[in-house]
Amino acid sequence: MTIIRNLMLAAMLGAVATSTQAQTTETRRDDRLEVVVRQDDGMGPRSVLARELLDISVGPNFAKEIERAMIDQMGKVGEQGGEEAAWVRANMPPMLARMIDRMLDDMAPIYADIYTEDELRGQIAFYRSPVGQSVAAKAASLGLAVQESQAAVVLSFMTEFQTKYCAQFNCEGARTTTKPSRD
């Protein structure tokens, strides 16, 4: 969580710097320089709020829970795969944690663009409440369950679509099943 806190601090400092930095336009009038200051429509403060919302809405141990779930999944594979599998088990969880941090960083400007400052503050207030904290604590479990559910639905859809498409248009040489071949 230290990484998330450091990223949040960097985002807040960057947002504060951005919000205090005015856009200027120079115009000449009577040989004097006139500076016109334009506000950023609150994007700086919204960016800080968006990152705060993301951090509290995914729960305090989101990255660790995802990492733990991945380690559990890799443990089911057992010791098969030798050196390569051992490397994956050792390296993938921390890489995943870094990816999650980058993903949250990338999501913050989207949230800041979509939600108003009041909407962000309202969501933050919710996630600071006992019910909101309970909801956030379940975010990783919910995300994993939804991902499993979506994967099954997408696989079923793609299998059905490919089968019907190839029946209609004769996909010669194309596989109509999702089973990997051993060619």
Side-chain angles (χ1 to χ4, degrees):
M1 292 321 280
T2 302
I3 292 172
I4 289 177
R5 287 189 189 116
N6 289 341
L7 288 172
M8 185 175 153
L9 179 60
M12 287 191 311
L13 291 174
V16 168
T18 301
S19 67
T20 59
Q21 187 178 54
Q23 297 176 344
T24 61
T25 303
E26 298 178 15
T27 59
R28 300 210 34 108
R29 182 185 298 163
D30 300 322
D31 293 321
R32 291 183 298 170
L33 181 66
E34 181 180 341
V35 177
V36 178
V37 178
R38 294 192 186 120
Q39 296 299 331
D40 69 353
D41 297 327
M43 189 58 125
R46 285 198 323 269
S47 295
V48 173
L49 291 170
R51 184 55 203 224
E52 181 180 352
L53 172 60
L54 286 165
D55 286 341
I56 64 174
S57 67
V58 297
N61 299 312
F62 182 73
K64 293 285 183 204
E65 289 178 41
I66 298 294
E67 228 179 283
R68 188 177 20 252
M70 177 176 278
I71 290 169
D72 290 347
Q73 286 296 318
M74 288 187 290
K76 291 178 184 176
V77 174
E79 295 300 317
Q80 300 170 354
E83 185 180 342
E84 290 179 21
W87 185 91
V88 169
R89 282 191 291 276
N91 289 284
M92 189 175 276
M95 292 168 83
L96 177 67
R98 288 191 304 273
M99 181 205 67
I100 290 169
D101 286 335
R102 285 192 307 267
M103 187 173 57
L104 292 174
D105 285 340
D106 290 347
M107 290 170 62
I110 296 167
Y111 274 53
D113 190 46
I114 291 174
Y115 293 115
T116 67
E117 198 168 323
D118 285 343
E119 291 168 337
L120 289 165
R121 288 184 192 285
Q123 291 179 77
I124 289 168
F126 168 73
Y127 282 110
R128 285 186 177 149
S129 74
V131 171
Q133 291 172 0
S134 178
V135 168
K138 297 171 184 170
S141 298
L142 176 63
L144 292 169
V146 167
Q147 182 180 0
E148 275 185 39
S149 172
Q150 289 174 342
V153 170
V154 169
L155 179 61
S156 175
F157 165 75
M158 291 305 295
T159 302
E160 178 186 4
F161 178 80
Q162 184 179 12
T163 301
K164 290 180 178 182
Y165 179 88
C166 289
Q168 181 70 33
F169 296 104
N170 190 15
C171 301
E172 193 171 315
R175 290 187 184 92
T176 56
T177 66
T178 58
K179 294 179 184 176
S181 84
R182 301 238 177 217
D183 305 340

